[in-house]
Amino acid sequence: MPDALDATPYDALLLLSFGGPEGPDDVVPFLENVTRGRGIPTERLKEVGRHYFLFGGVSPINQQNRALLDALRKDFAEHGLDLPVYWGNRNWAPYLTDTLREMARDGRRRVLVLATSAYTSYSGCRQYRENLADALDTLRAEGLDLPAVDKLRQYFNHPGFVEPMVDGVLAALADLPADVRDGARLAFSTHSIPDTAADTSGPVEGHGDGGAYVAQHLDVARLIAAAVRERTGVDRPWKLVYQSRSGAPHVPWLEPDICDHLEQVREEGAPAVVVAPIGFVSDHMEVLYDLDTEAKDKAAELGLPYRRSATVGDDPRFAAAIRDLVLERARTARGAQVTPCALGTLGASHDICPVGCCPARTPRPAAAGADSPYA
């Protein structure tokens, strides 16, 4: 096998995602999985899950993961990369533990993990690593031989992630009426998280003032805004905004909220807005509801022409980026010198999460990091 297509020492890739309900009867059990240990009553979960019921109790995330799996397998096959791809979820079938059990029984000995979260944060990285540790604990208790597990680096600034989003913004702008297109504002949206979680995201030396989470999103927003300016000849004002806040009202979360921002840009006289969900890999429920329903309705109420750009989803360039990340990590594991592919000012993210990176409020074991009990 040519070195350029050699994934050794890895013998499998695991797509690890959040999961979502696939019917009305799944909604409450799914939310029970998501909120386990918090003691939230069933009636409250039904209320929280109302946006799922608006769409027949079906989250699009599982189908989108199936599409991404197909894209990855197609790309790998077309480029001669012989690496099987598995899929497991944190909160719904196919469950992570079941998939890791299948991989262990298939004889997989060293596994790379692709999480469907591009940025650094507790919920976007370390929590996935904690779930991996939980699953490995279960397999060890069952007497199975545990595969070694490594996690691919965060890919927020890989060209294969950024370039499809640039094209999405350009397409959304082109869909606006011509008389408002050049004056349209850009709003780059991502999931809000508690200020404390943002401030402690990433390695310890970068903690404070939004940490790696905010810095990474701002860098991607700048990249997209600059590319759009270059291709359209128009320098548009832009803002990083947040959505999907949850939790106690008295706890500070990242702001401004997307709907509050829409009110502000209308007050400032903006003739239109394009919202780009840069914090999300695919058009799952938080995009479908928070942006395509709530924010869109708010814009209509304000009389503000509104377009939402596409997420990366199963774009072939994203699948190619994952192949690049797999081969990059494999070369590193074999001791080769590697120049990681990354745009912007921050450089490539670390391969192995250091101690103190994105700490949990209550410390728990996490796999695939410098503090992993499975090293």
Side-chain angles (χ1 to χ4, degrees):
M1 178 185 295
D3 182 71
L5 292 172
D6 186 0
T8 56
Y10 299 103
D11 56 13
L13 176 68
L14 168 61
L15 175 66
L16 176 55
S17 193
F18 193 82
E22 299 199 81
D25 293 341
D26 295 345
V27 173
V28 170
F30 163 72
L31 292 173
E32 287 173 340
N33 288 341
V34 174
T35 62
R36 179 161 284 118
R38 301 182 202 172
I40 300 176
T42 299
E43 290 307 311
R44 173 59 181 155
L45 292 178
K46 289 179 180 177
E47 181 183 343
V48 169
R50 69 188 187 285
H51 51 288
Y52 289 101
F53 292 115
L54 290 175
F55 297 91
V58 179
S59 167
I61 191 170
N62 279 354
Q63 187 54 43
Q64 289 164 0
N65 281 327
R66 294 183 185 103
L68 179 56
L69 281 169
D70 289 344
L72 291 172
R73 288 166 177 157
K74 180 174 184 288
D75 178 272
F76 288 7
E78 288 178 349
H79 291 85
L81 176 58
D82 184 16
L83 191 71
V85 186
Y86 293 74
W87 170 34
N89 289 325
R90 290 171 48 196
N91 298 298
W92 201 248
Y95 288 103
L96 169 60
T97 300
D98 294 337
T99 301
L100 272 179
R101 184 183 295 111
E102 177 188 0
M103 298 175 83
R105 289 174 173 166
D106 286 348
R108 307 305 173 192
R109 304 310 310 141
R110 191 161 180 186
V111 174
L112 268 176
V113 177
L114 164 66
T116 54
S117 178
Y119 299 85
T120 298
S121 69
Y122 170 75
S123 57
C125 182
R126 185 175 179 89
Q127 193 168 18
Y128 284 90
R129 294 174 49 224
E130 291 175 352
N131 295 144
L132 283 165
D134 291 342
L136 290 169
D137 277 347
T138 298
L139 267 57
R140 182 165 57 188
E142 294 172 357
L144 294 173
D145 291 333
L146 302 184
V149 175
D150 292 331
K151 182 177 175 292
L152 287 174
R153 65 177 172 90
Q154 304 304 112
Y155 44 84
F156 63 95
N157 56 3
H158 194 288
F161 185 67
V162 175
E163 289 168 2
M165 293 191 290
V166 171
D167 288 347
V169 172
L170 291 169
L173 284 166
D175 192 50
L176 283 168
D179 60 335
V180 300
R181 189 176 302 144
D182 285 352
R185 301 280 185 92
L186 304 180
F188 298 105
S189 189
T190 190
H191 205 302
S192 186
I193 62 175
D195 286 3
T196 53
D199 292 345
T200 57
S201 58
V204 172
E205 60 269 21
H207 287 180
D209 267 345
Y213 187 75
V214 172
Q216 290 171 0
H217 281 89
L218 285 173
D219 212 38
V220 171
R222 291 187 196 102
L223 285 167
I224 297 173
V228 170
R229 179 174 63 248
E230 180 180 348
R231 298 190 202 182
T232 64
V234 179
D235 190 7
R236 294 177 172 83
W238 62 268
K239 182 78 172 178
L240 178 63
V241 301
Y242 302 93
Q243 62 176 89
S244 313
R245 182 201 159 115
S246 60
H250 68 279
V251 176
W253 284 51
L254 294 174
E255 296 178 336
D257 176 78
I258 174 61
C259 290
D260 294 339
H261 179 66
L262 293 177
E263 292 182 350
Q264 180 183 346
V265 299
R266 192 44 150 172
E267 289 172 3
E268 293 173 354
V273 65
V274 166
V275 176
I278 64 171
F280 305 91
V281 171
S282 64
D283 290 2
H284 56 65
M285 185 58 72
E286 286 168 324
V287 174
L288 197 66
Y289 181 75
D290 296 341
L291 296 183
D292 291 355
T293 305
E294 284 193 331
K296 185 178 180 180
D297 288 350
K298 171 57 75 172
E301 174 190 320
L302 296 168
L304 181 67
Y306 172 100
R307 297 293 186 274
R308 195 266 292 174
S309 68
T311 51
V312 172
D314 60 346
D315 189 290
R317 290 169 291 183
F318 183 48
I322 301 309
R323 168 170 43 87
D324 179 66
L325 291 169
V326 166
L327 295 173
E328 170 196 298
R329 185 63 178 275
R331 289 194 294 272
T332 300
R334 295 196 301 270
Q337 290 293 112
V338 175
T339 301
C341 188
L343 301 174
T345 63
L346 299 179
S349 184
H350 46 257
D351 278 334
I352 300 174
C353 293
V355 175
C357 190
C358 305
R361 286 181 297 176
T362 303
R364 292 180 55 203
D371 55 355
S372 171
Y374 300 99

